[in-house]
Structures are given as structure tokens and as C-alpha cells.
Amino acid sequence: MSKKEKQILETFGKIIPDLTGVEKEKLLSYGEGYADGIRSRRNIMNNHKDKEPDKVLV
């Protein structure tokens, strides 16, 4: 794990205990949505490896 990844986890580790249940749910939903977006982008790029990068619409 990179230094930046550790810093991100440490920061979230500090704030999560102070969040309300609703805030935790919102953060989880945001994280899941972000992860889905990254997976979708990767899938699109993997399916278009043979094309020029500027010709792939994401």
C-alpha cells in the first residue's frame, strides 16, 4: 500500500467514529458509486485496447 493510500485510510479512520449513521451511509454510498465508476472505466478501456486512446469515449 502506498504512502498516500495509508494517509487516506488514516484520515477516514479518524473521522468515521464521529459520523452519524446517516453520514456513514452517505459516505459508504459515495465510495461504492466511485468504485463502480472506476470499474466501469477500466472495463471500457480494456475492451478498447486496440483503439487509439483519444478515440475511446468514456
Side-chain angles (χ1 to χ4, degrees), residues 44-56:
I44 290 169
M45 296 307 290
N46 286 336
N47 290 333
H48 295 89
K49 283 182 181 179
D50 58 328
K51 296 182 181 176
E52 295 178 45
D54 60 341
K55 303 290 183 193
V56 177

Side-chain angles (χ1 to χ4, degrees), residues 5-6 11 14 16 20 22 26-27 29 32-33 35 41 46-47 52 57-58:
E5 291 168 335
K6 289 177 185 177
T11 300
K14 290 177 184 175
I16 289 172
T20 66
V22 171
K26 286 181 182 181
L27 183 59
S29 296
E32 289 171 342
R41 185 179 67 217
N46 286 336
N47 290 333
E52 295 178 45
L57 301 176
V58 180

Side-chain angles (χ1 to χ4, degrees), residues 4 8 15-16 18-19 21 30 33-35 37 39 47 49-50:
K4 182 57 76 175
I8 292 167
I15 66 163
I16 289 172
D18 295 327
L19 297 177
Y30 180 80
Y34 202 88
R39 278 191 294 271
N47 290 333
K49 283 182 181 179
D50 58 328

